[in-house]
């Protein structure tokens, strides 16, 4: 290791070891490049936000909550398991173990591929140089040929509600809880807020969700959110829509509804109001790389900000999702290796892991109509599926959006149990430009939830002969 003013020569530098950065690094190494990844949290931090404080821990918490809640759900089916409780302190140990195992998996892939990780905070100080602040306070200087920026994002902070690790938490703090609070106020009814709120409610907290707009999941097609809204009511989660969170006072969160102030009981307040890209402290101006007003880095279809610098994941436009970051990572690595590639997916699936789950890929009916397509839709309710009945699941549906003129599936939307797993078939259909007949003619196994998509395709209104 070179410490001091002399810069170490680096072939391809990747900044950030999240699902964007580590996938890019592995692909570039596969293509013969010498890759160095600088990650603030070192090899233990590989996997980034998604593995350590995002996708993985949140889904682990949801699994626990679902297991506890599922016991009650099966009471009518004969299950006697009263008094089951979750111990969040034990869960924390379990979560740390599984996160560490998965991070070690990425580290071993790096080892095999010859990718080196440097632990430290990177900042660019010249068009081809960066300084890495090491944990011991020293700086290590790197001179690189090309770089991929994959520094991800961090939670947005609301005025008056800056996280303090105690009363006011962001999603990271919420996932570090080692006991279920008596009362929780969740600020923000987006996917992160609702996933956390619902899980904590199932684990025994009383939960109020405070949302500034007049609906939950503002970025999701309204029709898809109705079964979720019903489930929130059934679980006794209080929704305060059109309400602004102002700050905590004593045991409460203070909110404003219209002209009136109100109080919501909140031993803990979880603020989940979006995320900001980590682009402000990177010294991007030194690279000649600009950001837009949202702090995002403009890139071309190869994910290049200029001929030597690529940017991927949460620091560029598009859905802030792990699988999108990874897909961009492959493209960016290949582009910097001179391959003719472009990031042009037909659609990127998006999931809300509430109960029921909401999963979408491609155009919604409204978007397809706005685009002027000759739209046909078909919907299969969960109630027609025998498998759903065995699970006690009734609220949900599969919706297919078709462009009749092109005879193409352009959107698939699923609300119900395991929608997160089922949507991959929809993603394949949209990406492969499948026709509704392709889906209808594919034999789906019985009894499964996958029959929802088959049913929807079978019941699509007949295409008028040309
Ligand atoms: C609670 C929660 C739940 C989520 N659930 C899902 C989900 O279910 N599915 C899904 O697809 N997405 C989910 N996401 C979003 C997902 O985590 C992100 O979209 C994804 O992690 C982005 O990947 P990335 O590689 O761009 O950045 P990140 O994963 O954020 O990784 C960036 C890395 O860069 C490092 N870094 C930053 N700046 C520097 C620097 N200057 N020097 C060195 N290192 C630096 C950071 O330490 C970090 O490890 C969730 C997010 C949250 C918060």
């Amino acid at each position: 290791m070179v410490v001091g003013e002399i810069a170490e020569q680096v072939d391809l530098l990747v900044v950030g070891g999240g699902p964007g950065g580590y996938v890019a690094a592995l692909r570039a190494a596969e293509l013969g490049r010498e890759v160095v990844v600088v990650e603030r949290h070192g090899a233990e931090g590989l996997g980034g936000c998604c593995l350590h404080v995002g996708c993985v821990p949140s889904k682990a918490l949801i699994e626990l909550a679902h297991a506890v809640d599922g016991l009650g759900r099966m009471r009518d089916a004969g299950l006697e398991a009263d008094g089951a409780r979750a111990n969040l302190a034990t869960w924390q140990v379990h979560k740390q173990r599984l996160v560490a195992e998965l991070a070690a998996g990425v580290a071993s892939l790096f080892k095999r591929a010859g990718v080196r990780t440097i632990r430290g905070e990177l900042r660019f100080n010249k068009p081809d140089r960066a300084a890495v602040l090491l944990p011991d306070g020293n700086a290590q200087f790197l001179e690189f040929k090309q770089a991929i920026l994959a520094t991800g994002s961090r939670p947005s902070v609301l005025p008056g509600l800056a996280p303090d690790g105690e009363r006011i938490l962001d999603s990271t703090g919420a996932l570090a809880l080692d006991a279920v609070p008596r009362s929780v106020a969740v600020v923000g009814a987006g996917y992160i807020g609702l996933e956390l709120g619902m899980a904590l409610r199932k684990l025994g907290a009383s939960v109020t969700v405070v949302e500034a707009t007049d609906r939950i999941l503002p970025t999701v097609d309204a029709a898809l959110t109705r079964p979720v809204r019903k489930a929130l009511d059934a679980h006794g989660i209080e929704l305060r829509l059109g309400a602004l969170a102002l700050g905590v006072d004593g045991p409460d969160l203070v909110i404003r509804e219209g002209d009136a102030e109100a109080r919501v009981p909140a031993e803990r307040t979880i603020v989940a109001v979006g995320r900001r890209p980590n682009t402000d402290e990177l010294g991007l101006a030194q690279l000649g790389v600009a950001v837009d007003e949202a702090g995002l880095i403009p890139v071309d279809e190869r994910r290049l900000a200029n001929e030597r610098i690529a940017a991927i994941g949460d620091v560029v436009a598009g859905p802030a999702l792990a699988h999108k970051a990874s897909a961009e990572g492959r493209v960016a690595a290949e582009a910097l290796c001179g391959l003719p590639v472009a990031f042009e997916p037909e659609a990127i699936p998006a999931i809300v892991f509430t109960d029921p789950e909401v999963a979408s890929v491609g155009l919604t009916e409204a978007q397809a109509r706005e685009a002027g397509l000759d739209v046909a839709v078909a919907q299969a309710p969960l109630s027609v599926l025998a498998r759903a009945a065995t699970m006690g699941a009734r609220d949900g549906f599969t919706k297919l959006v078709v462009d009749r003129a092109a005879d193409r599936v352009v959107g698939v939307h699923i609300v119900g149990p395991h929608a997160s797993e089922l949507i991959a078939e929809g993603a394949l259909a949209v990406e492969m430009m499948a026709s509704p007949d392709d889906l209808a003619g594919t034999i789906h196994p019985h009894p499964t939830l996958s029959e929802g998509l088959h049913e929807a395709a079978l019941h699509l209104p007949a295409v008028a002969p040309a």
Side-chain angles (χ1 to χ4, degrees):
M1 184 194 293
V2 184
V3 177
E5 288 299 323
I6 303 161
E8 180 185 347
Q9 301 299 309
V10 172
D11 177 23
L12 178 64
L13 170 67
V14 178
V15 194
Y22 86 72
V23 170
L26 288 170
R27 181 66 185 133
E30 203 172 55
L31 292 170
R33 302 293 297 267
E34 273 183 39
V35 185
V36 169
V37 174
V38 179
E39 164 55 51
R40 183 186 281 151
H41 302 295
E44 293 86 3
L46 294 175
C49 159
C50 177
L51 174 52
H52 294 268
V53 293
C55 329
V56 174
S58 64
K59 269 77 253 183
L61 185 72
I62 286 166
E63 283 299 332
L64 177 70
H66 191 67
V68 173
D69 184 58
L71 295 175
R73 208 177 286 197
M74 285 289 121
R75 194 171 290 128
D76 286 352
L79 182 66
E80 295 170 9
D82 295 331
R85 272 192 329 276
N87 182 328
L88 273 196
T90 309
W91 178 78
Q92 285 296 342
V93 175
H94 158 82
K95 178 196 81 176
Q96 296 298 4
R97 193 171 44 233
L98 78 91
V99 165
E101 273 170 20
L102 291 168
V106 180
S108 79
L109 291 176
F110 270 26
K111 198 169 172 198
R112 220 176 303 154
V115 175
R116 195 153 67 82
T117 310
I118 297 175
R119 179 193 293 261
E121 184 84 22
L122 181 139
R123 197 182 162 90
F124 295 101
N125 49 17
K126 285 192 185 154
D128 59 353
R129 274 175 76 119
V132 182
L133 181 62
L134 303 173
D136 64 5
N138 285 317
Q140 180 173 355
F141 297 94
L142 306 175
E143 191 171 305
F144 55 90
K145 288 191 189 135
Q146 294 175 317
I148 299 179
L149 312 176
T151 47
S153 61
R154 61 183 184 275
S156 299
V157 175
L158 277 184
L161 284 167
D164 59 12
E166 277 297 320
R167 291 289 311 283
I168 306 172
L169 307 173
D170 56 19
S171 57
T172 301
L175 291 166
L177 284 169
D178 59 7
V180 180
R182 274 189 306 277
S183 58
V184 173
V186 177
V187 181
Y191 85 94
I192 292 177
L194 287 193
E195 287 181 7
L196 291 172
M198 209 170 218
L200 289 169
R201 175 69 195 126
K202 287 178 174 180
L203 292 171
S206 86
V207 174
T208 307
V209 177
V210 177
E211 163 61 43
T213 70
D214 61 358
R215 50 166 294 199
I216 61 166
L217 299 171
T219 60
V220 177
D221 184 27
L224 303 176
T225 67
R226 274 178 217 124
V228 179
R229 178 75 200 254
K230 201 170 156 190
L232 293 173
D233 290 345
H235 280 290
I237 295 176
E238 195 186 341
L239 268 182
R240 308 290 284 256
L241 298 177
L244 287 179
L246 302 178
V248 293
D249 183 33
D252 301 325
L253 171 71
V254 182
I255 63 174
R256 184 183 304 127
E257 292 174 311
D259 291 335
E261 274 190 11
R263 286 170 170 268
V264 166
E267 190 183 312
R268 310 274 192 164
T269 293
I270 299 171
V271 181
V273 291
R275 296 181 63 84
R276 295 187 48 199
N278 290 326
T279 50
D280 36 1
E281 304 281 336
L282 269 179
L284 289 181
Q286 299 290 334
L287 296 181
V289 169
V291 294
D292 66 15
E293 61 281 5
L296 297 168
I297 301 170
V299 286
D300 68 12
E301 72 287 354
R302 294 166 299 167
R303 307 292 94 172
L304 299 187
N306 65 38
E307 75 221 9
R308 295 174 48 242
I309 310 291
I312 56 173
D314 285 7
V315 297
V316 302
L321 294 170
H323 42 281
K324 178 253 192 188
S326 298
E328 289 178 316
R330 282 184 73 82
V331 169
E334 290 173 2
L336 288 177
C337 292
L339 298 182
V341 283
F343 182 74
E344 287 169 343
E346 278 299 313
I348 299 170
I351 295 152
V352 184
F353 289 83
T354 42
D355 179 9
E357 294 179 348
V358 180
S360 265
V361 66
L363 301 180
T364 62
E365 181 180 352
Q367 287 168 337
R369 291 195 193 287
E370 268 164 40
L373 303 184
D374 176 14
V375 176
V377 296
Q379 199 162 306
L382 263 189
S383 54
V384 303
L385 302 181
R387 183 75 182 105
T390 67
M391 299 168 79
R394 304 212 172 269
D395 286 318
F397 56 85
T398 299
K399 183 172 176 179
L400 197 57
V401 182
V402 169
D403 175 358
R404 290 204 290 189
D407 192 25
R408 253 188 75 185
V409 175
V410 292
V412 175
H413 310 277
I414 305 175
V415 186
H418 304 298
S420 54
E421 302 295 334
L422 300 167
I423 200 65
E425 184 183 358
L428 187 67
V430 174
E431 196 63 46
M432 300 292 289
M433 303 183 186
S435 74
D437 279 349
D438 290 331
L439 292 179
T442 301
I443 297 174
H444 285 65
H446 178 77
T448 66
L449 299 172
S450 73
E451 290 173 290
L453 193 50
H454 193 229
E455 284 292 322
L458 284 172
H459 294 108
L460 198 72
V463 179

